[in-house]
Amino acid sequence: MPALRKGSPSVEDKVRAELALIRTQVPGVRGSLAATSDGLVFAHDVADVEPSQIAAISAATLALASRATVTTGCGTFHEAVARGSDGYLAVYAAGDSAIVAVVGTSSLNVGMLQYRAREIIDRIAAYSTQIGAWAAPARPSTRAATATPAKTRGADGPALPRRRPAAS
């Protein structure tokens, strides 16, 4: 990362400040993080869970949900929300190479999260080229999503069971 002028906040500090806003503006948010689309933590505001595990799971969620939205004709992935018995995990695309994950309690108002987080996610997305310059794109190419099954499996395709010779 290039050297910054003395006193100038780093991109990581700016993103961390945006993440802190999510917690302060939405009751029920336990924490959040920004990561590359391949799951490397860039900045976080989580205290009670391991950020690298959340980032890895969020990257997997992004990959699966992105494929699902493209395959079903729903367009480009924006967000996915998982609800568990004790809380929520929301995963957002932030530009082409970053993701933001928000962990919430079971009392989280998801509507308020969606309303408040959008503006913050957009600001974090403005940093996404600096966050994920070394990462794969967060949005899959439509070429990969529309590949034929034979191309997806490889040239040889799956191994098929051998036929037994007919009894004489």
Side-chain angles (χ1 to χ4, degrees):
M1 194 171 279
L4 299 173
R5 293 179 307 175
K6 189 173 184 175
S8 176
S10 69
V11 173
E12 183 180 355
D13 291 337
K14 292 176 183 178
V15 170
R16 193 176 295 114
E18 295 292 348
L19 295 173
L21 279 176
I22 296 172
R23 184 193 298 259
T24 60
Q25 291 184 359
V26 183
V29 170
R30 289 179 26 210
S32 56
L33 64 82
T36 63
S37 60
D38 58 357
L40 299 173
V41 177
F42 182 76
H44 71 88
D45 176 41
V46 292
D48 57 344
V49 290
E50 176 57 39
S52 60
Q53 289 181 348
I54 297 168
I57 289 170
S58 298
T61 300
L62 171 81
L64 182 60
S66 293
R67 178 57 63 107
T69 58
V70 169
T71 300
T72 59
C74 294
T76 306
F77 172 80
H78 289 271
E79 64 204 38
V81 178
R83 178 177 171 230
S85 59
D86 296 325
Y88 293 87
L89 171 65
V91 177
Y92 300 89
D96 288 335
S97 58
I99 53 177
V100 172
V102 178
V103 179
T105 66
S106 58
S107 63
L108 175 70
N109 181 330
V110 177
M112 181 60 74
L113 173 65
Q114 302 291 31
Y115 175 72
R116 295 285 185 187
R118 288 185 200 285
E119 186 177 302
I120 295 168
I121 302 299
D122 288 344
R123 288 194 300 264
I124 293 172
Y127 302 118
S128 70
T129 56
Q130 295 168 11
I131 293 171
W134 63 90
R139 290 177 169 81
S141 70
T142 52
R143 191 176 125 207
T146 59
T148 61
K151 289 181 183 174
T152 303
R153 287 191 305 258
D156 297 329
L160 299 174
R162 291 187 174 187
R163 286 179 76 175
R164 290 201 274 190
S168 359

